């Protein structure tokens, strides 16, 4: 008996616009991979994204803030109480909007129906699974394309049906000198299934500086690389867009300068004494720095705003502000 043949005419397909949680890095209803060597800040970067989304704040290089949304976060490497919760708190996340599927009785996999059930129940718009290999399921060899492909196809279909973005966090292999596309741990099918691939690495000249570079984008032009600071003194700080490439990120080479770091330097120069906020805004416009970037620089330096009469003034925290009333 011949199998039933069903043909679909592209003339009957209605084109749809791609929707984004963070353009052009994180598409809705698609798979995104965030990968890098161990200890480079992949999870911290993703937790910073979660914090911004649960608070309804705009992410770097995006002026558009979304309404606060729910996120499902699954990790097989870190404890929820002693690691993930404190890091979410430090990032300023609304933890009431971060949900975890209970795996105490049965471990979760990428093919698990509970993923879609959880999205439907919570209306979550992002799922994070960290790391990829922990959620493939028993008997799936991540290096074999024929075993990986159906698993990824199933979770991609779930994302498509629900419109929920999915981030898979993965490690890099140890093969130095290869193109970025071949540094991801496991089968190349992981990269093929993802619509966006982001690579996280640190700079050799300043290991506290980490950079996220987009290595693949199937839905839009590749986005600018984004720098962030990660150290014991300052914690996590966004540093904005830079010109470093994926190869720079993987090699740890290159120097970076961003609008955020430029504005931080300018604020440190201007705010040696209390300065009218309008003067600072005017200077930012002269430098071509957006108000969003200015506010990130302000937050990073801990700049204090205080009101005197009917005018706002800014000063660095160590400067103080004489004769000012809140």
């Amino acid at each position: 008996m011949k199998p039933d043949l069903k043909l679909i005419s592209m003339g009957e397909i209605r084109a749809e616009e791609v929707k984004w949680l963070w353009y052009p890095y994180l598409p809705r209803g698609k798979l995104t991979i965030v990968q890098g060597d161990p200890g480079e800040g992949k999870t911290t970067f993703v937790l910073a994204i979660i914090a911004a989304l649960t608070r309804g704040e705009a992410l770097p290089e995006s002026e558009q803030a979304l309404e606060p949304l729910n996120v499902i976060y699954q990790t097989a490497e870190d404890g929820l109480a002693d690691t993930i919760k404190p890091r979410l708190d430090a990032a300023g996340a609304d933890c009431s909007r971060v949900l975890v599927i209970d795996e105490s009785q049965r471990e979760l996999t990428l093919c698990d129906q509970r993923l879609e059930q959880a999205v439907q129940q919570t209306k979550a718009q992002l799922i994070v699974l960290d790391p990829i290999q922990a959620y493939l399921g028993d008997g799936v060899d991540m290096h074999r394309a024929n075993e990986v492909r159906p698993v990824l196809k199933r979770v991609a279909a779930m994302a498509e049906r629900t419109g929920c973005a999915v981030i898979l966090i993965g490690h890099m292999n140890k093969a130095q000198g290869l193109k970025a596309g071949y540094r991801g741990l496991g089968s190349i099918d992981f990269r093929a299934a993802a619509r966006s691939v982001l690579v996280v690495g640190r700079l050799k000249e300043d290991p506290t500086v980490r950079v996220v570079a987009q290595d693949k984008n199937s839905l839009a032009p590749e986005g600018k690389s984004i720098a962030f600071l990660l150290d014991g003194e300052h914690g996590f700080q966004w540093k904005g867009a830079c010109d470093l490439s994926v190869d720079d990120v993987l090699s740890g080479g290159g120097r970076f300068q961003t609008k955020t770091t430029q504005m931080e330097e300018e604020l440190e120069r201007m705010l040696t004494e209390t300065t009218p906020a309008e003067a600072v805004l005017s200077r930012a416009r002269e430098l071509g720095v957006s108000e969003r970037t200015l506010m990130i620089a302000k937050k990073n330096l801990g700049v204090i705003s205080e009101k005197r009469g009917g005018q706002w003034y800014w000063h660095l925290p160590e400067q103080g502000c004489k004769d000012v009333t809140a």
Side-chain angles (χ1 to χ4, degrees), residues 109-129:
T109 71
L110 292 176
C111 295
D112 200 311
Q113 292 182 349
R114 288 178 292 171
L115 284 174
E116 187 161 352
Q117 290 171 356
V119 171
Q120 292 172 342
Q121 182 175 322
T122 66
K123 308 299 181 186
Q125 296 183 48
L126 173 64
I127 293 174
V128 178
L129 296 143

Side-chain angles (χ1 to χ4, degrees), residues 61-194:
E61 298 306 301
S62 174
E63 298 296 330
Q64 183 178 5
L66 302 171
E67 291 294 322
L69 52 82
N70 292 343
V71 174
I72 295 170
Y73 183 85
Q74 302 296 136
T75 178
E77 292 189 336
D78 296 307
L80 297 180
D82 60 10
T83 304
I84 298 302
K85 177 63 184 298
R87 290 167 77 177
L88 284 169
D89 286 338
D94 179 351
C95 290
S96 68
R97 290 186 171 276
V98 184
L99 296 314
V100 180
I101 298 171
D102 187 350
E103 297 185 60
S104 60
Q105 300 299 317
R106 178 163 56 96
E107 291 184 350
L108 193 72
T109 71
L110 292 176
C111 295
D112 200 311
Q113 292 182 349
R114 288 178 292 171
L115 284 174
E116 187 161 352
Q117 290 171 356
V119 171
Q120 292 172 342
Q121 182 175 322
T122 66
K123 308 299 181 186
Q125 296 183 48
L126 173 64
I127 293 174
V128 178
L129 296 143
D130 181 10
I132 299 172
Q133 60 268 30
Y135 295 95
L136 291 175
D138 293 338
V140 177
D141 186 338
M142 70 182 302
H143 297 89
R144 292 182 176 273
N146 64 315
E147 296 182 16
V148 167
R149 193 174 298 126
V151 174
L152 295 174
K153 185 176 181 180
R154 185 161 176 175
V155 71
M158 182 278 297
E160 190 81 32
R161 284 193 303 272
T162 61
C164 183
V166 176
I167 290 179
L168 305 176
I169 300 179
H171 299 311
M172 309 291 279
N173 61 46
K174 297 180 180 180
Q176 301 295 324
L178 293 180
K179 290 183 177 180
Y182 295 94
R183 287 289 317 279
L185 193 63
S187 168
I188 194 68
D189 277 66
F190 285 106
R191 177 183 173 86

Side-chain angles (χ1 to χ4, degrees), residues 141-298:
D141 186 338
M142 70 182 302
H143 297 89
R144 292 182 176 273
N146 64 315
E147 296 182 16
V148 167
R149 193 174 298 126
V151 174
L152 295 174
K153 185 176 181 180
R154 185 161 176 175
V155 71
M158 182 278 297
E160 190 81 32
R161 284 193 303 272
T162 61
C164 183
V166 176
I167 290 179
L168 305 176
I169 300 179
H171 299 311
M172 309 291 279
N173 61 46
K174 297 180 180 180
Q176 301 295 324
L178 293 180
K179 290 183 177 180
Y182 295 94
R183 287 289 317 279
L185 193 63
S187 168
I188 194 68
D189 277 66
F190 285 106
R191 177 183 173 86
R195 301 298 85 193
S196 173
V197 177
L198 305 175
V199 177
V200 181
R202 73 176 73 199
L203 299 188
K204 289 180 179 177
E205 68 171 22
D206 186 352
T208 66
V209 176
R210 317 298 171 90
V211 178
V212 182
Q214 190 163 44
D215 186 39
K216 174 185 175 180
N217 192 332
S218 301
L219 304 171
E222 290 179 1
K224 296 178 181 179
S225 295
I226 304 289
F228 63 92
L229 184 73
L230 186 59
D231 67 10
E233 180 181 357
H234 300 95
F236 182 98
Q237 292 182 352
W238 291 112
K239 291 296 183 180
C242 62
D243 294 329
L244 297 181
S245 67
V246 174
D247 290 336
D248 291 331
V249 172
L250 290 176
S251 67
R255 290 180 172 272
F256 92 107
Q257 173 72 39
T258 72
K259 288 289 187 181
T260 302
T261 57
Q262 180 187 12
M263 198 64 232
E264 287 174 357
E265 292 172 1
E266 190 66 16
L267 287 175
E268 289 177 329
R269 184 191 67 79
M270 292 184 70
L271 302 183
T272 52
E273 58 184 29
T274 301
T275 303
E278 186 53 45
V280 180
L281 291 168
S282 177
R283 181 56 179 154
R285 287 191 289 266
E286 290 176 3
L287 295 172
V289 174
S290 70
E291 187 171 344
R292 163 72 177 159
T293 299
L294 170 60
M295 293 306 167
I296 292 174
K298 177 177 182 282

